[in-house]
């Protein structure tokens, strides 16, 4: 098979390297000025011989006398076909833009968050400008200004932020780093806090069924974080952060070129919080004390002339947390009833490599190989509960890209392999397992740009515990009129539930752990299977001469099988396979508008209907608000000619409707909670002063409305009693928090 690939890749360039034509492709304008169009596709009709124009719009292309028709295309422009009668005469051609191929933007400038009218998938692109609107200390804090992702605390002990999409928690989201699945297995609970925000170049959020190329586990959607590239990042970058909760953080990037084709980057992150805080006076720390050291070394090789690019990344993390009662001393009180406390120590090592080849003569033919290995070791205890996990993971993926007939018909195909070894120690029980899977995928994309495009994909996988199965996915986009995009999608996802790693908050309770089931292959349980269906409508508009857009999304997730996490008995937590129905319906409408120059407004409303058939009956999923309102406003002062300084202002408002508590009716009256939580409204804001391209300072506040959940821990007065539970968290615990920092860079 490899020999066949090489023959396919090399044969056209060997056959047609004798003669060439040259020319320049330009953007049409009233005066027909020679403004080069970089990145335009130029190819011979009904062949795979083509090229892409350079930065000045120029190109050189192999020629054979039997070639007559030359096709020129570019996104947002009309596709033209030229007849070539004299190959010795340079070609000069102007492409004209197509009105209804505008790319959606939330501002009239480069958008910090954008959707496309052209892609079949419903993807939200978030760039570095959006990430800088908040302190953005790690990836879990990078979604505060994005209404498509919900962020909340998982419990009142660990300080862990939990994200949700379409009403479902992060295990149902495929979270990847540069398209390599990364937040999974043992890292599911805390992994988002292991990626510093300053390392992230951009984030792509895909709602609903994602691409089969990235795997079969995605159910609610996909989140991909693109990291900074050493060749593009500043030679030196420093971000220093300090907060009123006495959290300190330092990020430093060091990048250098090694010769003409190699670049190397060293990314250093250190953060600490070493003071105890108890704002609500329940004798428990409101947030853990912690220290984190995070080091990433990246190597990038780029050979554009021959079409090669590759990355090698090595990462090491050491993260330690301590939390619990104020008087807890781990040296004397660990695993005793002297005082309730917890320590979570994590060591993680990762190495990943990416290799890409783009045929210089046939730019739509490419081959990519991705490999990654990670070793994750967590040793932890919560009061008298012990939870240790070791997870070794290996991932490999090979992708081949090409076209059929012309660039409207694209294909991706390849193979993937995943290996996972788990060893979990839960109190006195030891759970070990090996998982391995081999899969093949094929994805076809049709794109006529003006009206319709679709992406249809299928995977076939063999898994040693999940068996043989097929994963189909389909995305369609139709644009019947200007600045519009109707989208529809459906797809299937399948995954093995890591019940302890994904629900570590259960250990910070006095609940008995019960696994009801023995016929399944993982903890005695069967895998989770779900179908996701979605529809979306995007419409751009002009109001009072200013641009905006409005989006309506509806997604439905139906579980064929699910590992139900049942909190309805306050003395127990029960895991069992679904008998009945479980579904998540999500509706969202979002408006982006640019009322005046340099001012952007984003508002969104979301409605969730998420229900599961528990053993006690059908109930709404606990701590999932039915209603949520979101608003974000940002403003920049004008960047005047000859000056580099400017101000940036940003504010985000969140309102959450009431959330259902899991039942506490079996508890004594003094330890019972109402059926629903109060509503919650929070306000975050940040001001940034940019002095120059090298230096800026920022000042901000989180939860400036000072909302506090006064009694987040049930039974805090008796932490070793039968009613202790720290999982009933519906809002902020600490109250207001203010921070300041600086950013310094040398390009």
């Amino acid at each position: 098979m490899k020999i066949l690939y090489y023959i396919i890749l090399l044969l056209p360039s060997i056959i047609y390297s004798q003669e060439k034509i040259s020319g320049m492709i330009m953007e049409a304008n009233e005066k027909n000025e020679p403004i080069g169009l970089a990145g335009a596709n130029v190819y011979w009709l009904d062949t795979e011989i083509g090229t892409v124009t350079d930065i000045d719009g120029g190109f050189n292309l192999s020629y054979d006398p039997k070639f007559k028709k030359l096709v020129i295309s570019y996104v947002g422009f009309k596709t033209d076909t030229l007849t070539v009668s004299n190959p010795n005469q340079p070609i000069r051609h102007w492409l004209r833009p197509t009105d209804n191929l505008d790319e959606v933007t939330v501002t009239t400038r480069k958008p910090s968050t954008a959707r496309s009218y052209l892609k079949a998938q419903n993807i939200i692109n978030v760039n570095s400008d959006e990430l800088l609107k908040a302190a953005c200390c790690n990836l879990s804090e990078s979604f505060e200004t994005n209404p498509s992702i919900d962020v909340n605390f998982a419990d009142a002990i660990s300080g862990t932020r939990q994200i949700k999409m379409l009403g479902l928690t992060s295990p149902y989201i495929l979270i990847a780093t540069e398209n390599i699945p990364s937040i999974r297995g043992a890292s599911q609970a805390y992994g988002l806090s292991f990626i510093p925000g300053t390392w992230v170049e951009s984030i792509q959020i895909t709602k609903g069924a994602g691409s089969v190329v990235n795997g079969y586990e995605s159910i609610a959607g996909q989140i991909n974080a693109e990291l900074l590239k050493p060749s593009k990042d500043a030679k030196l970058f420093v971000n220093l952060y300090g907060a009123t909760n006495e959290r300190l953080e330092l990020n430093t990037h060091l990048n250098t070129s090694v010769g003409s084709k190699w670049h190397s980057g060293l990314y250093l992150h250190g953060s600490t919080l070493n003071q105890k805080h108890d704002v609500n006076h329940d004798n428990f720390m409101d947030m853990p004390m912690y220290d984190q050291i995070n080091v990433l070394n990246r190597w990038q090789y780029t050979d554009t002339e021959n079409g090669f690019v590759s990355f090698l990344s090595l990462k090491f993390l050491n993260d330690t947390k301590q939390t619990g009662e104020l008087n807890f001393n781990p040296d004397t009180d660990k695993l005793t009833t002297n005082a309730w406390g917890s320590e979570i120590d994590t060591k993680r090592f990762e190495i990943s490599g990416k290799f890409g080849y783009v045929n210089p003569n046939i730019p739509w033919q490419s081959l990519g190989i991705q490999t990654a290995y990670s070793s994750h070791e967590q040793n932890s205890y919560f009061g008298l509960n012990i939870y240790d996990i070791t997870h070794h993971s290996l991932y490999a993926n090979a992708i081949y890209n090409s076209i059929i007939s012309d660039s409207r018909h694209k294909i991706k195909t390849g193979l993937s392999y995943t290996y996972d070894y788990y060893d979990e120690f839960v109190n006195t029980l030891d759970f070990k397992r090996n998982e391995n899977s081999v899969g093949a995928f094929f994805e076809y994309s049709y794109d006529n740009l003006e009206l319709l495009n679709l992406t249809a994909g299928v995977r076939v996988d063999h898994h040693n515990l999940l068996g043989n199965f097929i994963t189909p996915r389909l995305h369609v986009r139709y644009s019947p009129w200007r600045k519009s995009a109707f989208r529809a999608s459906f797809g299937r996802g399948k995954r093995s539930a890591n019940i302890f790693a994904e629900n570590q908050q259960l250990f910070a309770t006095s609940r008995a752990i019960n696994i009801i089931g023995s016929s399944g292959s993982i903890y005695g349980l069967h895998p989770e299977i779900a179908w996701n269906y979605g529809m979306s409508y995007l419409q751009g508009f002009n109001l009072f001469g200013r641009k905006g857009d409005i989006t309506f999304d509806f997604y439905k997730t139906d579980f064929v099988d699910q590992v139900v996490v049942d909190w309805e008995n306050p003395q127990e937590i029960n895991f069992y396979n679904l008998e009945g129905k479980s579904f998540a319906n999500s509706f969202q409408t979002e408006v982006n508008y640019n009322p005046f120059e340099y001012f952007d407004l984003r508002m969104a409303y979301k409605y969730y209907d998420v229900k599961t058939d528990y053993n006690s009956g059908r109930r709404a999923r606990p701590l999932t608000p039915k209603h949520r309102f979101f608003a974000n406003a940002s403003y920049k002062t004008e960047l005047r000619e000859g000056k580099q300084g400017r101000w940036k202002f940003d504010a985000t408002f969140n309102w959450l409707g009431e959330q259902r508590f899991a039942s506490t009716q079996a508890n004594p009256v003094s330890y019972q909670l109402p059926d629903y939580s109060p509503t919650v409204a929070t306000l975050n804001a940040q001001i940034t002063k940019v002095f120059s391209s090298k230096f800026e300072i920022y000042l901000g506040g989180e939860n400036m409305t000072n909302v506090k959940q006064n009694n987040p821990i049930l039974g805090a007065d008796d932490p070793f009693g039968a009613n202790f539970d720290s999982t009933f968290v519906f809002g902020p615990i600490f109250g207001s928090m203010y921070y300041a920092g600086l950013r310094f860079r040398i390009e």
Side-chain angles (χ1 to χ4, degrees):
M1 182 61 73
K2 289 184 178 179
I3 295 174
L4 180 60
Y5 278 155
Y6 290 135
I7 293 174
I8 294 173
L9 290 170
L10 297 176
L11 188 58
S13 60
I14 294 171
I15 294 175
Y16 303 116
S17 61
Q18 291 83 4
E19 296 186 54
K20 290 182 179 294
I21 64 168
S22 62
M24 182 177 182
I25 307 302
M26 295 157 285
E27 179 179 352
N29 54 80
E30 292 181 357
K31 298 181 179 180
N32 271 353
E33 296 174 331
I35 302 173
L37 195 59
N41 296 311
V42 182
Y43 59 94
W44 295 109
L45 183 65
D46 297 327
T47 77
E48 295 188 354
I49 309 302
T51 188
V52 175
T53 56
D54 60 25
I55 193 170
D56 298 314
F59 72 92
N60 290 282
L61 182 61
S62 301
Y63 172 75
D64 188 274
K66 66 182 180 181
F67 296 158
K68 299 297 181 184
K69 301 292 186 180
L70 188 68
V71 181
I72 304 168
S73 67
Y74 190 77
V75 173
F77 290 77
K78 293 181 179 179
T79 298
D80 289 340
T81 302
L82 310 180
T83 299
V84 178
S85 56
N86 184 1
N88 297 319
Q89 181 178 350
I91 294 172
R92 291 171 63 83
H93 184 74
W94 282 263
L95 279 185
R96 297 188 177 279
T98 303
D99 290 340
N100 58 347
L101 294 183
D102 296 338
E103 185 78 8
V104 65
T105 62
V106 296
T107 72
T108 57
R109 292 149 276 112
K110 178 183 177 182
S112 59
T113 300
R115 299 175 190 251
S116 172
Y117 289 109
L118 304 174
K119 296 183 181 296
Q121 294 182 343
N122 189 1
I123 301 176
I124 300 100
N125 293 290
V126 180
N127 68 22
S128 57
D129 290 340
E130 183 73 12
L131 299 177
L132 294 178
K133 288 183 178 180
C136 197
C137 297
N138 59 60
L139 191 59
S140 71
E141 298 165 317
S142 300
F143 303 105
E144 298 287 353
T145 61
N146 192 294
S148 295
I149 303 295
D150 302 321
V151 184
N152 200 4
F153 289 99
D155 59 80
I157 295 292
S158 67
T160 305
R161 295 191 186 224
Q162 182 184 72
I163 68 169
K164 294 181 180 180
M165 183 190 293
L166 308 185
L168 298 174
T169 54
S170 59
Y172 298 106
I173 309 168
L174 193 154
I175 304 175
T177 304
E178 298 189 322
N179 290 311
I180 297 176
S182 56
I183 311 299
R184 55 187 299 275
S187 64
Q188 190 64 249
Y190 309 113
L192 287 171
S193 66
F194 296 161
I195 302 178
T198 64
W199 295 4
V200 179
E201 179 183 68
S202 63
I203 299 173
Q204 295 80 46
I205 302 169
T206 304
K207 285 188 171 184
S211 171
V212 294
V213 174
N214 300 115
Y216 53 81
E217 294 181 322
S218 169
I219 291 176
Q222 297 185 2
I223 296 174
N224 179 58
E226 285 291 326
L227 302 184
L228 291 167
K229 311 298 187 288
S231 62
K232 296 181 179 180
D233 193 18
K235 290 184 179 180
L236 172 66
F237 174 81
V238 177
N239 176 41
L240 181 63
Y241 167 96
T244 54
N245 61 4
E246 299 176 88
R247 172 181 176 178
L248 299 173
E249 186 166 318
L250 176 65
N251 293 280
T252 304
H253 306 174
L254 301 166
N255 295 280
T256 185
S257 59
V258 184
S260 60
K261 297 179 180 179
W262 283 95
H263 292 81
S264 179
L266 182 63
Y267 300 83
L268 307 173
H269 166 90
S271 55
T272 183
L273 195 163
N274 283 314
Q275 297 297 321
K276 298 180 179 181
H277 297 275
D278 181 19
V279 174
N280 55 15
H281 306 295
D282 62 359
N283 198 41
F284 274 79
M285 285 188 278
D286 298 325
M287 61 195 72
M289 298 189 298
Y290 71 90
D291 293 290
Q292 185 183 118
I293 298 294
N294 212 334
V295 181
L296 171 67
N297 182 212
R298 303 200 79 193
W299 290 83
Q300 178 181 353
Y301 174 81
T302 307
D303 182 357
T304 54
E305 183 178 349
N306 295 304
F308 293 103
V309 63
S310 60
F311 292 90
L312 176 65
S313 300
L314 298 95
K315 181 182 175 184
F316 173 77
L317 166 91
N318 186 55
D319 183 85
T320 61
K321 295 183 177 70
Q322 178 191 325
T323 188
E325 292 188 276
L326 294 176
N327 60 342
F328 173 75
N329 182 344
D331 294 331
T332 58
D333 302 332
K334 177 180 178 180
L335 297 174
T336 73
T337 57
N338 297 339
W340 198 100
S342 171
E343 288 185 292
I344 307 167
D345 297 338
T346 304
K347 288 182 173 60
R348 184 176 174 88
F349 171 76
E350 301 175 43
I351 180 170
S352 64
K354 300 180 69 174
F355 168 82
Y357 170 74
V358 178
N359 192 325
N361 296 313
I362 313 174
W364 49 76
Q365 280 190 353
S366 63
L367 178 67
I369 298 174
Q370 303 175 106
T371 59
Y373 169 78
S374 64
S375 174
H376 184 111
E377 184 176 345
Q378 175 187 321
N379 296 303
S380 55
Y381 62 90
F382 305 80
L384 300 179
N385 289 319
I386 299 173
Y387 180 63
D388 298 335
I389 180 171
T390 298
H391 179 195
H392 301 297
S393 180
L394 177 65
Y395 174 83
N397 197 18
I399 309 171
Y400 173 69
N401 295 267
S402 188
I403 65 173
I404 303 173
S405 179
D406 59 53
S407 60
R408 293 174 300 173
H409 307 274
K410 299 182 178 70
I411 61 168
K412 293 181 181 180
T413 187
L415 302 171
S416 63
Y417 174 77
T418 304
Y419 169 80
D420 293 289
Y421 167 77
Y422 294 95
D423 185 2
E424 297 175 279
F425 188 73
V426 182
N427 292 326
T428 60
L429 300 176
D430 194 4
F431 297 87
K432 294 182 180 181
R433 75 179 190 274
N434 287 289
E435 293 190 37
N436 60 78
S437 66
V438 179
F441 55 85
F442 179 85
E443 188 173 80
Y444 165 77
S445 298
Y446 170 76
D447 189 356
N448 76 351
L449 295 181
E450 296 184 11
L451 291 176
L452 175 72
N453 63 351
L454 65 86
T455 300
V458 64
R459 289 186 63 94
V460 179
D461 288 275
H462 169 75
H463 192 287
N464 67 316
L465 299 181
L466 308 186
N468 302 317
F469 55 95
I470 297 175
T471 304
R473 289 175 185 169
L474 175 67
H475 302 263
V476 180
R477 186 274 307 174
Y478 176 62
S479 296
W481 50 75
R482 190 173 184 267
K483 291 187 176 180
S484 67
F486 285 93
R487 290 184 173 90
S489 67
F490 79 87
R492 183 181 188 267
K494 187 172 184 176
R495 62 181 296 272
S496 54
N498 294 282
I499 59 175
F500 300 117
E502 296 167 5
N503 298 280
Q504 293 192 39
Q505 67 269 31
L506 71 90
F507 296 113
T509 73
S510 60
R511 295 171 182 258
I513 303 171
N514 300 318
I515 301 176
I516 305 172
S518 59
S519 60
S521 56
I522 302 172
Y523 309 107
L525 301 170
H526 298 291
E528 297 188 300
I529 303 171
W531 288 87
N532 183 280
Y533 312 89
M535 297 184 66
S536 176
Y537 174 59
L538 169 64
Q539 179 66 59
F541 61 84
N542 282 282
L543 181 63
F544 305 118
R546 310 299 301 180
K547 289 185 177 181
D549 62 79
I550 185 168
T551 306
F552 300 95
D553 289 338
F554 176 76
Y555 286 88
K556 182 178 183 63
T557 305
D558 277 327
F559 284 90
V560 178
D561 204 345
Q562 184 181 25
V563 174
V564 177
V565 185
D566 189 341
W567 300 84
E568 299 306 315
N569 183 336
Q571 308 303 318
E572 302 175 347
I573 179 168
N574 295 306
F575 298 98
Y576 51 84
N577 281 110
L578 176 69
E579 292 186 7
K581 292 186 176 182
S582 181
F583 57 86
N585 296 326
S586 169
F587 171 78
Q588 176 175 330
T589 181
E590 179 180 340
V591 178
N592 296 282
Y593 185 53
N594 176 226
F596 53 87
E597 194 69 18
Y598 302 111
F599 180 77
D600 298 310
L601 182 64
R602 182 183 309 141
M603 295 184 293
Y605 165 76
K606 286 202 291 193
Y607 172 79
Y608 289 136
D609 179 23
V610 186
K611 293 180 180 176
T612 298
D613 286 342
Y614 297 96
N615 286 344
S616 56
R618 181 172 297 181
R619 298 173 183 265
R621 195 76 54 87
L623 298 174
T624 301
K626 278 191 173 183
H627 306 279
R628 178 191 173 192
F629 176 76
F630 168 96
N632 174 264
S634 60
Y635 174 70
K636 299 178 183 179
T637 57
E638 184 178 359
L639 188 60
R640 300 184 181 277
E641 186 176 353
K643 296 184 179 181
Q644 294 183 318
R646 70 191 312 181
W647 289 89
K648 298 179 181 179
F649 304 89
D650 189 85
T652 301
F653 174 79
N654 270 293
W655 178 86
L656 303 179
E658 61 182 19
Q659 305 170 51
R660 188 182 76 85
F661 287 126
S663 177
T664 57
Q665 296 307 306
N667 283 344
V669 174
S670 58
Y671 295 111
Q672 290 182 7
L673 295 174
D675 292 337
Y676 290 91
S677 74
T679 61
V680 176
T682 61
L683 177 66
N684 299 343
Q686 179 175 286
I687 301 173
T688 303
K689 171 59 177 175
V690 180
F691 292 94
S692 69
S693 60
K694 294 182 179 180
F695 182 68
E696 61 187 64
I697 60 174
Y698 56 90
L699 174 69
E702 294 184 2
N703 187 22
M704 298 173 69
T705 51
N706 199 32
V707 174
K708 286 181 292 202
Q709 184 177 345
N710 292 324
N711 298 297
I713 300 178
L714 196 65
D717 58 333
D718 185 15
F720 295 100
N723 305 115
F724 178 73
D725 198 322
S726 68
T727 62
F728 294 98
V729 177
F730 63 87
I733 298 171
F734 182 72
S736 299
M737 188 274 291
Y738 297 91
Y739 60 85
L742 62 85
R743 303 183 184 102
F744 174 76
R745 60 174 56 85
I746 298 177
E747 300 295 339

